[in-house]
């Protein structure tokens, strides 16, 4: 069953652990003796409720979520949260602060502008988002309703290596592309959200981890489906949740557990990323794009400096069974996404292919 799989370096939706896909396949038509697929179940049934409860409990335990915080499953992906966050939190002062360090934080900021006054607390646009501003460069307003940043810039390949200090302003973070790749001190955050299709599950929802003290501040016109307080009260089932995606998240969490959880992932991801970055640093052909101290362990961006050679590399790597290495259209070049499910072997083989390509195309 597994022999015909290729190495899929897609930035998202991205590869899932093979054992997870096989488990889902084995339960596809008859889940646990229920006589039906998880896709066919009432979300109010006992059998589904058990899947939901276990998934949520596993998430809380593995992500180390304290009792002050609640875990929500919401449809609409991370983009939905770009609007939900300001609608739910902006009411505090009518103002919010954003750090703009890439494509998605910029989109989040633009969406928030519809609901209040936005102050750009930091930006790395002056050098095409190749770096992460240091703490000393963050200009956070005392009266901001919240401060928003994106922990890993999926397109530009940069990652925050520190948790911003906000002086009491609620900290809101888009962790779509690096959640579950390392332990996180959740208590420092007001809200963490992540579209699940990068590192946790198939597309279809976002996980939101929210400090319960922040719920209930929504602007009056906030749609009920976006209301955090309602979602907390209804345990993410005000309406039909993305049932199958939640089930798949549950399977991925079991797999994560078997790999040592977030601490296990952190160890492996450093090794995988180092393999690629060490090669980029010694290569005379390929050059990393992000500043060294801001390099992402999840999305590795690089180019040759010659667009034709980039195109040749993408074509030949695809033919050799390494898919989705083309950089995002705003960046060009190449991007290797090495989320949790990518085995070390995939990175080793890719680096060997790159070395060979360099020799042959000198
Ligand atoms: C992919 C991505 C998004 C967009 O996610 P959707 O689920 O498609 O809305 C937002 N932020 C980051 C950091 C991402 O990587």
């Amino acid at each position: 069953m597994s022999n015909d799989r290729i190495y899929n370096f897609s930035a998202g939706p991205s590869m899932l652990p093979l054992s997870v896909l096989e488990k889902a396949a084995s339960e596809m038509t008859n889940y646990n003796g229920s006589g039906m697929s998880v896709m066919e179940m009432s979300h109010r049934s006992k059998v589904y409720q058990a899947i939901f409860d276990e998934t949520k409990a596993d998430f809380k335990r593995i992500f180390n979520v304290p009792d002050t915080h609640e875990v929500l499953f919401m449809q609409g992906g991370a983009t939905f949260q770009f609007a939900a966050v300001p609608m739910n939190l902006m009411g505090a002062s009518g103002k919010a602060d954003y750090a703009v360090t890439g494509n998605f934080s910029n989109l989040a900021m633009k969406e928030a502008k519809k609901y209040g006054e936005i102050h750009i607390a930091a930006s790395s646009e002056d050098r095409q988002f190749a770096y992460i501003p240091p703490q000393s460069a963050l200009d956070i307003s005392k009266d901001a309703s919240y401060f928003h940043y994106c922990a890993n810039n999926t397109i530009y390949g940069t990652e925050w290596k520190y948790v911003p200090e906000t002086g009491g302003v609620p900290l809101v973070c888009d962790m779509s592309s690096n959640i579950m790749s390392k332990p996180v001190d959740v208590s420092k955050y007001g809200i963490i959200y992540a579209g699940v299709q990068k590192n946790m599950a198939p597309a279809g929802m976002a996980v939101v981890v929210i400090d319960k003290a922040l719920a209930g501040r929504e602007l009056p016109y906030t749609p009920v489906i976006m209301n955090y307080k309602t979602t907390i009260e209804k345990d993410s089932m005000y309406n039909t949740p993305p049932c199958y995606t939640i089930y798949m998240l549950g399977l991925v969490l079991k797999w994560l557990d078997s790999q040592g959880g977030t601490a296990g992932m952190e160890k492996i991801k450093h090794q995988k990323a180092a393999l690629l970055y060490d090669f980029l640093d010694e290569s005379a052909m390929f050059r990393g794009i992000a500043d060294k101290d801001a390099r992402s362990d999840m999305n590795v961006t690089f180019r040759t400096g010659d667009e034709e050679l980039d195109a040749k590399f993408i074509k030949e790597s695809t033919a050799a069974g390494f898919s989705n290495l083309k950089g995002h259209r705003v960046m060009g070049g190449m991007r290797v996404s090495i989320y949790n499910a990518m085995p070390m072997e995939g990175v080793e083989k890719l680096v060997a292919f790159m070395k060979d390509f360099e020799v042959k195309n000198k």
Side-chain angles (χ1 to χ4, degrees):
M1 171 167 195
S2 59
N3 300 344
D4 51 356
R5 291 196 29 105
I6 59 173
Y7 290 108
N8 175 10
F9 293 95
S10 169
S14 43
M15 70 172 292
L16 289 161
L18 180 62
S19 62
V20 165
L21 295 175
E22 287 175 339
K23 174 82 171 157
S26 76
E27 295 179 334
M28 177 61 75
T29 58
N30 183 353
Y31 173 77
N32 202 16
S34 65
M36 60 177 96
S37 170
V38 175
M39 292 184 194
E40 303 169 303
M41 285 173 185
S42 164
H43 60 295
R44 309 282 180 201
S45 65
K46 241 189 203 163
V47 57
Y48 186 74
Q49 189 67 49
I51 294 171
F52 181 97
D53 291 344
E54 193 170 339
T55 300
K56 189 172 143 183
D58 282 348
F59 186 96
K60 274 186 158 167
R61 178 175 48 80
I62 294 170
F63 201 55
N64 208 3
V65 178
D67 288 339
T68 45
H69 287 58
E70 182 58 288
V71 175
L72 311 177
F73 301 135
M74 297 176 79
Q75 305 205 28
T79 305
F80 188 89
Q81 299 304 318
F82 294 172
V85 165
M87 280 194 187
N88 280 276
L89 300 189
M90 191 72 84
S93 68
K95 299 176 186 176
D97 280 22
Y98 277 72
V100 177
T101 57
N103 174 69
F104 291 112
S105 51
N106 189 45
L107 292 177
M109 182 275 290
K110 285 208 294 206
E111 184 71 13
K113 270 188 174 170
K114 297 175 185 170
Y115 310 105
E117 198 180 309
I118 302 304
H119 167 67
I120 308 289
S123 169
S124 56
E125 196 176 4
D126 59 329
R127 283 203 293 112
Q128 289 174 311
F129 302 118
Y131 68 102
I132 296 295
Q135 174 72 45
S136 59
L138 304 183
D139 173 30
I140 297 173
S141 321
K142 283 196 176 59
D143 62 346
S145 302
Y146 61 92
F147 167 76
H148 178 283
Y149 77 111
C150 176
N152 184 74
N153 298 289
T154 321
I155 291 177
Y156 294 91
T158 60
E159 188 169 10
W160 290 66
K161 309 290 177 182
Y162 69 98
V163 179
E165 290 288 340
T166 60
V169 171
L171 185 59
V172 177
C173 183
D174 176 357
M175 279 191 198
S176 294
S177 50
N178 68 350
I179 193 164
M180 291 293 177
S181 70
K182 59 184 173 187
V184 168
D185 182 354
V186 176
S187 71
K188 289 186 173 170
Y189 291 87
I191 292 178
I192 292 168
Y193 66 89
V196 294
Q197 73 275 20
K198 310 283 162 66
N199 218 4
M200 294 196 290
M205 67 175 192
V207 175
V208 178
V209 181
I210 178 172
D211 181 345
K212 286 179 272 190
L214 290 177
R217 301 179 179 184
E218 66 280 354
L219 298 169
Y221 51 79
T222 303
V224 66
I225 195 66
M226 286 196 171
N227 187 320
Y228 290 142
K229 186 160 181 275
T230 308
T231 310
I232 291 169
E233 285 167 1
K234 299 291 181 184
D235 202 11
S236 300
M237 285 211 209
Y238 175 78
N239 72 332
T240 316
C243 302
Y244 198 76
T245 297
I246 292 168
Y247 157 77
M248 288 295 291
L249 170 62
L251 294 185
V252 170
L253 290 170
K254 299 264 183 257
W255 172 83
L256 252 174
D257 235 357
S258 75
Q259 305 293 306
T262 54
M265 285 302 120
E266 183 176 38
K267 224 186 264 169
I268 302 166
K269 71 146 188 170
H270 278 321
Q271 292 169 9
K272 287 190 289 188
L275 209 59
L276 273 159
Y277 286 124
D278 287 351
F279 169 64
L280 291 176
D281 288 343
E282 72 186 33
S283 166
M285 175 181 282
F286 299 105
R287 265 169 294 137
I289 296 173
D291 282 10
K292 279 189 188 177
D293 62 359
R295 285 169 161 177
S296 166
D297 281 349
M298 298 281 108
N299 311 97
V300 178
T301 53
F302 57 95
R303 52 170 76 106
T304 64
D306 172 347
E307 281 180 29
E308 268 173 40
L309 196 56
D310 286 353
K312 187 170 193 242
F313 175 78
I314 290 157
K315 194 168 164 223
E316 290 184 11
S317 58
T318 305
F322 306 101
S323 82
N324 285 304
L325 292 178
K326 195 171 175 177
H328 189 275
R329 60 188 183 278
V330 307
M331 279 286 275
M334 278 73 74
R335 171 174 54 176
V336 180
S337 296
I338 43 174
Y339 300 120
N340 287 348
M342 176 57 67
M344 178 62 106
E345 180 198 72
V347 182
E348 284 167 355
K349 289 197 171 155
L350 175 64
V351 169
F353 177 85
M354 289 170 75
K355 282 183 181 163
D356 187 53
F357 182 90
E358 179 164 354
V359 171
K360 285 184 179 146
N361 291 275
K362 249 187 204 149

